[in-house]
Amino acid sequence: MRTPTFRVTIGRYRSGPRLRLPPHRASSATLAGAYPFLASPSCDVGVPVGQDALTGGPFCFDPWALYGAGHLTNPNVLLAGVIGQGKSALAKSLAMRSITAGRSVYVPGDPKGEWAPVAEAMGGTVVRLGSGLPARLNPLDAPEGTEPHGPRIRLLAAVAALTIRRELGAAELGALDAALTLAERRHSAPTIGGVLETLTSPDASAARADGVPVADRSADGRDVAHGLRRIVRGDLAGLFDGPSSERLDPRAPMVVLDLSRLGSDEDALALAMTCASAWLEGALLVSTAKRWVIYDEAWRVLRHAALVRRMQSQWKLSRAHGIANLMVLHRLSDRDAIGEQGSEARSLAQGLLADCSTRVIYRQESDQLDGAAAALGLTRPERDLLPVLPRGTGLWKMPRRTHVVHHVLHPVEVNVVDTDSAMRDDTEHEDR
Ligand SMILES: Nc1ncnc2c1ncn2[C@@H]1O[C@H](COP(=O)(O)OP(=O)(O)O)[C@@H](O)[C@H]1O
Ligand SMILES: [Mg+2]
């Protein structure tokens, strides 16, 4: 008997050489174990995303509905793929379509400044941070009716750990705690500058009450003070040290924190995201309205253990507050994407990846396939699809179901999501 051959055809893409396989008969339930694309029921609840490339039918997505129906173990989504494949375009149209369905969207750090047009199109708010710009955020702001000391101390410790590039010791945390307590006693709305003052001139009676000579307390706080000084006098001076100029309206359909004017300094970006996330956290956690929190270009912040730790604790709380996190990365396994092998940042980042029960994978470079397959638990056919996915098409992997989906952009969305316009003039448009 002749060995049957077949080609995989997905949209405009046709697979390379013909596969030669011996014939095999089994029930569809059994086959689905070996070839999971066969069995997934259609996904038709939620906002439309595009076309299911295997059935030709529509593909819709709503992480809350799927989570509520027990199909997902959490509403978080990981979106990974090489640059230029349409990850941001997908995230942006999910955001816009979800807003029209009554959800809201927060983008807690947009390093490329590409989300502002989306917020503007949707009647949302854009907070632009950078030197020379008027916006100021006080990360020590606390929402009314909440206990402020704990979140403030965690924020200050994270900022100091980022700038001095190590975790704080017990004595340093003690000095920081005493300094914050004194600053809180002096001002109902303390600032990082106020904490820096009380850190460098500690209160003698408080130190005595803690059984620490005041000279030791000053010494304990010295490195932490150096760390916090970057926010007060360094390149980020003014941005996070003073009363907030912006109030977050919890009813705004979309809020984008545009960090593109901070330049390309990774540390400044991580610090700004840490401070900004503290400011956002207050607003997020007082409501249970369903929202997306979207981390585009998340690889730029995943290398910083202190920041990932904050993200992780936010993610733990987020389910109770109706939040679905969407994290956009380009690669899944290498050092540039998620930190050095064996580092704390890497294991924390892997914890975040594990906490995304929907994984959308766009085209991957061939050297990334094994890493991606291992990190995401992909089957062989799923892995083999990754290097040949065309732009806008991704493998959507959820527990017990897999889809290949071509994201269809509406003409109205095209101008808002287009990041290629700077790469071409109006007469030529080359598909990359
Ligand atoms: N589904 C799609 N259909 C058509 N064009 C798309 C699609 N997705 C993305 N594009 C275009 O591809 C370009 C790159 O997309 P982008 O989302 O910025 O990629 P990434 O975030 O993966 O680097 C954009 O100009 C966008 O308009
Ligand atoms: Mg992008």
Side-chain angles (χ1 to χ4, degrees), residues 5-50:
T5 65
F6 66 91
R7 277 177 190 265
V8 181
T9 305
I10 295 162
R12 282 180 298 144
Y13 160 73
R14 296 187 84 206
S15 70
R18 283 172 186 278
L19 299 175
R20 294 191 176 278
L21 300 174
H24 180 75
R25 232 173 235 270
S27 73
S28 51
T30 308
L31 278 175
Y35 199 74
F37 301 129
L38 286 180
S40 296
S42 66
C43 218
D44 50 11
V45 175
V47 298
V49 175

Side-chain angles (χ1 to χ4, degrees), residues 26-364:
S27 73
S28 51
T30 308
L31 278 175
Y35 199 74
F37 301 129
L38 286 180
S40 296
S42 66
C43 218
D44 50 11
V45 175
V47 298
V49 175
Q51 190 180 27
D52 189 316
L54 296 167
T55 64
F59 177 87
C60 303
F61 186 65
D62 182 296
W64 296 277
L66 289 165
Y67 177 59
H71 295 305
L72 299 176
T73 49
N74 60 61
N76 303 326
V77 179
L78 167 70
L79 169 54
V82 298
I83 292 163
Q85 287 304 295
K87 301 181 297 299
S88 300
L90 173 64
K92 289 169 192 166
S93 64
L94 266 180
M96 290 189 275
R97 295 170 193 184
S98 300
I99 289 170
T100 57
R103 316 297 194 202
S104 55
V105 176
Y106 280 174
V107 180
D110 170 21
K112 287 164 80 180
E114 55 176 302
W115 281 81
V118 184
E120 279 152 7
M122 300 311 292
T125 309
V126 183
V127 178
R128 291 187 173 84
L129 283 174
S131 54
L133 298 174
R136 301 279 176 269
L137 303 181
N138 182 3
L140 302 185
D141 277 355
E144 272 172 44
T146 60
E147 186 284 311
H149 188 79
R152 284 176 180 158
I153 201 84
R154 283 194 290 279
L155 177 268
L156 291 165
V159 167
L162 274 167
T163 47
I164 63 179
R165 296 178 191 283
R166 63 171 173 78
E167 289 309 298
L168 306 191
E172 290 176 319
L173 282 171
L176 189 57
D177 190 55
L180 174 63
T181 306
L182 184 55
E184 286 174 330
R185 215 176 299 142
R186 287 184 183 164
H187 299 283
S188 56
T191 59
I192 293 190
V195 175
L196 187 58
E197 249 174 68
T198 54
L199 201 56
T200 44
S201 357
D203 180 30
S205 58
R208 255 196 315 278
D210 289 345
V212 183
V214 70
D216 289 3
R217 176 127 290 171
S218 292
D220 291 341
R222 202 160 44 211
D223 282 359
V224 179
H226 284 308
L228 296 186
R229 215 164 268 128
R230 177 147 183 211
I231 300 284
V232 178
R233 292 207 209 117
D235 50 342
L236 298 176
L239 297 184
F240 300 106
D241 174 35
S244 295
S245 62
E246 313 289 320
R247 285 231 154 267
L248 201 54
D249 176 2
R251 287 158 310 173
M254 184 160 184
V255 178
V256 171
L257 206 57
D258 182 334
L259 302 178
S260 58
R261 294 279 288 271
L262 287 178
S264 56
D265 182 339
E266 298 294 325
D267 286 353
L269 182 73
L271 276 172
M273 277 199 71
T274 306
C275 292
S277 71
W279 176 80
L280 268 180
E281 200 168 312
L284 287 176
L285 299 185
V286 290
S287 123
T288 52
K290 297 195 169 51
R291 358 173 159 247
W292 282 107
V293 174
I294 300 180
Y295 300 86
D296 202 348
E297 304 279 314
W299 58 275
R300 287 184 67 177
V301 296
L302 286 185
R303 283 177 268 176
H304 301 275
L307 186 48
V308 186
R309 205 171 310 115
R310 285 188 66 80
M311 280 170 77
Q312 205 155 41
S313 60
Q314 252 167 18
W315 282 35
K316 283 210 179 81
L317 286 173
S318 62
R319 231 163 300 168
H321 291 272
I323 291 168
N325 297 287
L326 168 59
M327 184 161 69
V328 185
L329 294 176
H330 50 291
R331 290 179 289 247
L332 288 158
S333 55
D334 72 349
R335 186 173 60 81
D336 289 345
I338 56 167
E340 297 280 357
Q341 190 84 37
S343 66
E344 192 201 356
R346 190 180 180 110
S347 62
L348 287 167
Q350 276 166 338
L352 283 187
L353 303 191
D355 215 2
C356 293
S357 85
T358 303
R359 286 97 186 261
V360 184
I361 310 124
Y362 274 31
R363 190 160 70 74
Q364 293 283 314

